[in-house]
Amino acid sequence: MERREFLILGLVFTTSAYAQMFQTVPEANATLIQSGKDKYACPNCGMHLVKFYKTSHTHENHQYCSIHCLYEVTQGVIPEDAKVVDTITLELIDVKKAFYVVGSNVKGTMTRTSSYAFGSEKEAQNFISNNGGKMMNFQEAYAVAAEDFPEDFGKKATASTVVPVTKIEVPKDAKCPICGMFVAKYPQWVALYDGDKKFYFDGVKDMMKYAYARKLSSDKFYVSDYYKLSKLEASQAFYVIGSNVYGPMGNELIPFATQEEAQSFARDHNGQKVIAFDEITEAMVKSL
Ligand SMILES: [Zn+2]
Ligand SMILES: [Zn+2]
């Protein structure tokens, strides 16, 4: 396939995948406070701010895609100056005046526990009647965002550097073609398509979406062993689904080199099932 045709296909797929997202608004309705080439990107994860607009937060002249990225940047120090998008009016409002609905069944950004803000308490109540969730103030919602970051978050990467392994090397500026996120930030989730051109993904889920959209054969896909970070042929790995460990884009298929390791991880982390590559289905990927 010619490169140009390939790029156009990519664009069409990306646009249609985003079209169903609750967070996305027409660009004309979005208030973006950054300028220049950084205008559209979350400075923490690289995701597109118009596509994830309704969960966007600002702090010190930066605009983040979500309370998750705001938390990651501020590291537990509550940002007094932060603003959040009002889900109804789409304007930026002071977080201290916002009514957050946390844990509704409307999908969130970068997290499994979604969080949407409202300037009006009545609108927040309305949202809860339709979609569930709990009303919170900013401090409470920020505390919930902290739960995305497990206490042992940095330990695995440190341990793995002791044992030399062949990893998937990710260029610093590589972005996932499905969600637009910078991939190098999430080494234990990296997946790769090594075809005419290389594409990097922030998780197996987005890799599979890419494979299904283009009907690509499995032999050019690679994943990273979750604990060792070693590069595995996707078709040879074993995957845990339904565990309590979440990737940068939420629920994931978590890869391991051996079935035993996958099973042991599943036991420790409430995994629902261990499956082989052939058992992954498009419906399963969509439901994650
Ligand atoms: Zn972000
Ligand atoms: Zn992605």
Side-chain angles (χ1 to χ4, degrees):
M1 197 188 298
E2 272 204 10
R3 188 178 139 79
R4 190 155 157 222
E5 196 183 338
F6 195 65
L7 286 175
I8 291 169
L9 254 180
L11 196 67
V12 170
F13 178 69
T14 311
T15 312
S16 64
Y18 281 133
Q20 307 133 22
M21 288 194 348
F22 178 74
Q23 296 96 317
T24 308
V25 298
E27 188 178 333
N29 298 348
T31 306
L32 301 173
I33 68 155
Q34 300 170 146
S35 56
K37 66 173 175 38
D38 300 325
K39 185 174 175 185
Y40 296 101
C42 170
N44 188 50
C45 72
M47 291 210 305
H48 199 287
L49 293 170
V50 175
K51 280 156 189 151
F52 295 93
Y53 183 71
K54 284 186 194 166
T55 51
S56 162
H57 283 68
T58 65
H59 164 53
E60 288 179 349
N61 301 322
H62 290 301
Q63 190 157 5
Y64 301 95
C65 69
S66 57
I67 195 166
H68 174 101
C69 280
L70 178 70
Y71 183 88
E72 196 169 353
V73 166
T74 51
Q75 302 203 331
V77 182
I78 292 177
E80 295 293 330
D81 69 324
K83 288 185 177 172
V84 60
V85 168
D86 178 333
T87 306
I88 304 295
T89 65
L90 305 183
E91 276 159 23
L92 286 166
I93 57 171
D94 183 344
V95 290
K96 293 195 246 3
K97 293 184 182 140
F99 300 88
Y100 280 78
V101 176
V102 176
S104 76
N105 56 31
V106 177
K107 272 195 184 177
T109 305
M110 301 288 287
T111 178
R112 192 171 152 265
T113 313
S114 91
S115 190
Y116 287 94
F118 299 82
S120 133
E121 187 172 3
K122 199 166 151 251
E123 292 289 1
Q125 283 296 2
N126 216 357
F127 188 83
I128 291 172
S129 330
N130 293 325
N131 309 296
K134 217 180 133 193
M135 180 109 66
M136 292 189 184
N137 63 27
F138 172 64
Q139 284 199 339
E140 292 164 327
Y142 185 82
V144 170
E147 292 167 11
D148 289 346
F149 301 91
E151 284 169 39
D152 63 346
F153 191 64
K155 283 184 197 156
K156 269 171 282 184
T158 320
S160 70
T161 52
V162 179
V163 189
V165 291
T166 309
K167 297 180 197 171
I168 299 173
E169 295 298 332
V170 188
K172 221 178 141 222
D173 59 348
K175 284 186 164 194
C176 170
I178 299 294
C179 69
M181 201 181 292
F182 287 122
V183 175
K185 285 186 65 118
Y186 306 99
Q188 73 270 52
W189 300 102
V190 171
L192 165 70
Y193 173 67
D194 196 353
D196 305 341
K197 199 171 176 264
K198 287 184 172 157
F199 285 97
Y200 300 86
F201 307 89
D202 57 311
V204 173
K205 177 170 57 179
D206 279 359
M207 180 190 87
M208 293 310 298
K209 284 184 187 169
Y210 189 83
Y212 291 129
R214 290 169 181 73
K215 303 196 174 19
L216 297 168
S217 76
S218 63
D219 61 334
K220 290 191 171 118
F221 285 99
Y222 298 87
V223 298
S224 304
D225 182 283
Y226 182 71
Y227 279 134
K228 301 194 196 84
L229 307 192
S230 48
K231 180 179 176 180
L232 310 172
E233 282 179 45
S235 59
Q236 303 301 309
F238 293 88
Y239 301 84
V240 176
I241 57 171
S243 77
N244 58 12
V245 173
Y246 302 98
M249 292 296 283
N251 282 303
E252 267 297 349
L253 293 135
I254 305 182
F256 294 89
T258 68
Q259 191 159 19
E260 292 69 47
E261 285 167 307
Q263 267 153 1
S264 140
F265 175 90
R267 270 192 305 273
D268 292 350
H269 295 280
N270 294 322
Q272 253 166 33
K273 223 173 163 187
V274 173
I275 54 171
F277 184 80
D278 294 345
E279 295 171 281
I280 302 174
T281 64
E282 197 166 354
M284 194 186 282
V285 170
K286 273 196 185 141
S287 74
L288 291 173

